[in-house]
Amino acid sequence: MAKLGKRTKAAREAFAGKDNVTVEEAVGLIKSNANAKFDETLEIAMNLGVDPRHADQMVRGTVTLPNGTGKSVRVAVFARGAKADEATEAGADIVGAEDLMETVQGGKIEFDRCIATPDMMPIVGRLGKVLGPRNLMPNPKVGTVTMDVKEAVEAAKGGQVQFKAEKAGVVHAGIGKMSFDEGKLVENVRAFVDAVSKAKPTGAKGTYMMKVALSSTMSPGVTVDVLSATGNDPAA
């Protein structure tokens, strides 16, 4: 059995027995034990009572966190003409059409969010096998296939987080940095949970929000009381 490092051992001891605590307690515990040499990310994982293999149980959406993510987001935009100029002026890092498609096909993906105007989707569609597995495929349901390029770029740069339920019904995301004040992290947690709650699909039956856990990049997870995270009945 591998020997645990001092930091890992100390963290596990600090987190032992900490289950179903309030959001404030969880954030405080995680922040007080974030001792890495870099600014760790606060991560959230939510187990939902859905089976995303069924279309009427898919959970997908976006939320603009009140205090941002603390992460610099690189944005690529597929557009031509005036819309390409609009994207550049809004702060997009990469703007292109066929040339950008060829760059991506060549394996060079230097962006965290991909936006496209509707007329560019025949080109972007060819990149499905590359962008899809990385959750970078533009989608009108989350506002990344749009003619309002300026708004989409500014939202991506301004702390908007996309979320999508994976096969096991788990939604996870990075929602802040350990350098944030505890109060700001708590606000981000509640904003994210609220957005996922509002994205409850019509096909979801029984308890929707089954488990909420928080962790930092290097820490164990802490289970958060669902009522504390939402203020609502978890079945709602």
Side-chain angles (χ1 to χ4, degrees), residues 31-215:
K31 190 170 169 63
S32 65
N33 284 276
N35 301 312
K37 294 181 180 179
F38 61 93
D39 194 6
E40 297 180 58
T41 297
L42 178 66
E43 300 177 359
I44 187 168
M46 301 175 66
N47 293 69
L48 306 177
V50 298
D51 183 349
R53 292 175 298 179
H54 300 286
D56 65 347
Q57 294 188 49
M58 170 52 71
V59 177
R60 183 198 298 266
T62 62
V63 55
T64 298
L65 300 176
N67 302 297
T69 63
K71 178 183 177 182
S72 178
V73 178
R74 300 169 299 173
V75 179
V77 177
F78 282 88
R80 290 193 182 96
K83 288 298 173 181
D85 294 338
E86 181 182 322
T88 300
E89 291 172 5
D93 299 275
I94 306 168
V95 181
E98 285 84 359
D99 55 334
L100 180 52
M101 178 189 71
E102 292 172 1
T103 298
V104 173
Q105 286 177 328
K108 192 174 182 181
I109 302 175
E110 298 181 333
F111 50 87
D112 309 297
R113 183 73 61 87
C114 187
I115 296 164
T117 53
D119 60 296
M120 296 300 297
M121 287 311 292
I123 290 175
V124 180
R126 302 179 202 173
L127 303 173
K129 291 183 179 180
V130 180
L131 299 179
R134 294 174 171 81
N135 289 324
L136 290 172
M137 193 68 181
N139 189 309
K141 292 182 179 179
V142 294
T144 49
V145 177
T146 177
M147 288 300 289
D148 196 342
V149 173
K150 180 177 183 292
E151 181 180 351
V153 171
E154 290 177 348
K157 291 283 188 179
Q160 185 188 72
V161 175
Q162 294 182 356
F163 58 85
K164 177 183 177 183
E166 298 177 350
K167 290 181 180 179
V170 177
V171 168
H172 65 84
I175 54 173
K177 293 290 185 179
M178 288 296 101
S179 57
F180 287 16
D181 293 339
E182 286 186 22
K184 290 184 177 181
L185 290 173
V186 169
E187 288 176 356
N188 278 4
V189 170
R190 291 216 164 95
F192 187 87
V193 172
D194 183 60
V196 174
S197 177
K198 289 177 178 176
K200 180 180 179 179
T202 57
K205 306 297 181 184
T207 300
Y208 173 54
M209 208 164 289
M210 302 177 70
K211 180 180 177 182
V212 178
L214 297 174
S215 65

